[in-house]
Amino acid sequence: MFVQLLIAFNLGLFSSLHCIGMCGGILSTLVLAGHDTDQQKPLNKIKKSLSYNLGRIVSYSLAGLIVGFFSAQLVESLANINIHFILQLIAALVLIGIAFNIYGLLPFNRYLESSGMRLWRYIQPLGKHLLPINTFLRTFLFGMLWGWLPCGMVYSALILSLSSGVALDAMLIMFFFVFVTFPAMVSTGYFAAKLTELHQNIQLSRLTASLLIIIAISLPLSSIYFSQHHDHSNAVNAHQHHMH
């Protein structure tokens, strides 16, 4: 679980920069904009930004819970073929694909995002019913809605959640992932220029991709290690019990 949270942290850290480019404009235009004097007050803008991002946290956590429930059923029904390890191996390969995308070697994000466009076509029109976004409740609901926007980084985190095999663990992974993006998204409009500059920093991107590959490889390896350690402990305990 620790390794998965570490990966979620790394994904969330890089996604903070990615989210500014993908969702920052939406947040600034639809959520923070407004002609009302009260809505233009800095404190109210911060409150609306918090409401929007709390909505995102709820959506991502809910998605993690759904994926984790499916994963738990899969692990239970296919326990004889160690499906848990297979899911972690798939998650590692997806994360390496994300790293290659960051390197600029493979448009992996595009492949992931295209898979979610069919669902998004049904969800996106619902946002029209929340316009104008002039209350904190509407802002929160809009954030929940926009949490389903197709995003390769989010999908990679969901696949990581899938590899947990436990519904609550999967929800925690998604919560941890989106929570790391929280400061950057809340500060959109204040520090967006600096964050965009970091996003375009080639050295930082390559370092992030390299760390992602290292951590991704450690995911299935840690599963093998803890599995062998658990089996060894069981064998020792069984032997001691037999001697008594």
Side-chain angles (χ1 to χ4, degrees):
M1 182 63 180
F2 173 76
V3 175
Q4 290 165 317
L5 288 178
L6 186 62
I7 295 173
F9 176 83
N10 196 48
L11 277 174
L13 202 60
F14 185 79
S15 292
S16 298
L17 309 178
H18 178 75
C19 286
I20 293 297
M22 190 168 185
C23 302
I26 298 167
L27 179 60
S28 299
T29 303
L30 297 178
V31 178
L32 300 183
H35 300 293
D36 194 315
T37 305
D38 286 339
Q39 292 187 46
Q40 290 301 311
K41 290 180 179 178
L43 182 59
N44 282 339
K45 282 191 173 185
I46 291 174
K47 286 180 179 179
K48 288 185 74 175
S49 186
L50 284 170
S51 299
Y52 172 82
N53 285 288
L54 284 173
R56 288 176 62 240
I57 287 178
V58 171
S59 276
Y60 289 0
S61 299
L62 179 61
L65 186 64
I66 294 170
V67 165
F69 178 78
F70 171 75
S71 173
Q73 299 303 311
L74 200 61
V75 168
E76 185 178 345
S77 60
L78 299 175
N80 59 319
I81 61 170
N82 197 4
I83 190 66
H84 187 254
F85 172 74
I86 294 173
L87 290 174
Q88 289 192 325
L89 187 61
I90 292 172
L93 291 173
V94 169
L95 292 169
I96 290 173
I98 291 290
F100 283 177
N101 187 96
I102 296 171
Y103 281 133
L105 300 176
L106 181 70
F108 195 75
N109 271 11
R110 193 187 308 162
Y111 300 144
L112 283 179
E113 290 167 7
S114 63
S115 64
M117 283 305 298
R118 184 174 298 177
L119 176 63
W120 180 241
R121 289 192 189 100
Y122 292 100
I123 295 176
Q124 185 182 16
L126 298 176
K128 296 177 182 178
H129 301 291
L130 297 173
L131 298 176
I133 305 174
N134 51 10
T135 66
F136 296 127
L137 177 60
R138 286 185 176 221
T139 308
F140 173 79
L141 293 174
F142 189 79
M144 281 192 66
L145 193 67
W146 221 254
W148 297 95
L149 176 72
C151 173
M153 301 302 289
V154 175
Y155 290 165
S156 63
L158 276 173
I159 293 172
L160 177 65
S161 298
L162 182 70
S163 72
S164 69
V166 181
L168 290 179
D169 285 357
M171 184 176 72
L172 182 61
I173 289 169
M174 287 304 296
F175 174 83
F176 199 75
F177 162 76
V178 70
F179 189 76
V180 175
T181 71
F182 196 78
M185 288 301 294
V186 170
S187 64
T188 296
Y190 299 96
F191 305 107
K194 185 63 179 177
L195 289 168
T196 301
E197 181 182 329
L198 287 173
H199 184 240
Q200 294 172 347
N201 187 300
I202 297 175
Q203 287 77 17
L204 180 62
S205 296
R206 288 176 177 173
L207 176 62
T208 302
S210 300
L211 288 173
L212 196 57
I213 289 175
I214 293 170
I215 298 173
I217 292 173
S218 71
L219 180 60
L221 291 180
S222 66
S223 178
I224 294 172
Y225 171 77
F226 286 117
S227 176
Q228 291 178 343
H229 181 72
H230 178 71
D231 291 342
H232 177 70
S233 298
N234 286 342
V236 171
N237 292 335
H239 178 67
Q240 291 176 344
H241 179 73
H242 178 70
M243 290 182 65
H244 287 300

